[in-house]
Amino acid sequence: MTYEMKIREAHEDGKEEGRNEGIREGMLKAVAMLKKLKLSKEVAVKQIADTYSLTHEEAVSLVNRNW
């Protein structure tokens, strides 16, 4: 692998990592907003699962950790 290819690969990895971090931040802010709106955890789980294409179990875990 050439130096240029390594740099390009590192750049792509960094972009993907940044996107993933942005999505994670968005999910946490969404949970906080749903809580602030005084919605139930059940509604929050459904909204998070639908919006971010998570399984029900993933959404439950995310909401419970950040509620």
Side-chain angles (χ1 to χ4, degrees):
M1 182 180 283
T2 68
Y3 175 76
E4 186 176 287
M5 291 170 70
K6 287 179 183 178
I7 294 295
R8 190 174 298 132
E9 184 178 324
H11 180 73
E12 289 302 316
D13 289 347
K15 285 180 9 183
E16 184 177 341
E17 188 177 321
R19 275 191 296 274
N20 291 340
E21 182 63 29
I23 290 168
R24 173 106 175 111
E25 271 188 50
M27 287 191 284
L28 296 177
K29 298 235 182 237
V31 170
M33 180 185 66
L34 293 167
K35 182 179 179 182
K36 191 172 185 176
L37 291 171
K38 300 187 188 301
L39 299 177
S40 68
K41 275 189 177 181
E42 293 77 24
V43 170
V45 166
K46 176 150 180 34
Q47 290 299 315
I48 294 296
D50 291 348
T51 300
Y52 293 99
S53 301
L54 300 177
T55 66
H56 177 76
E57 292 76 19
E58 290 170 327
V60 166
S61 177
L62 179 72
V63 169
N64 283 338
R65 282 192 321 264
N66 297 285
W67 195 256

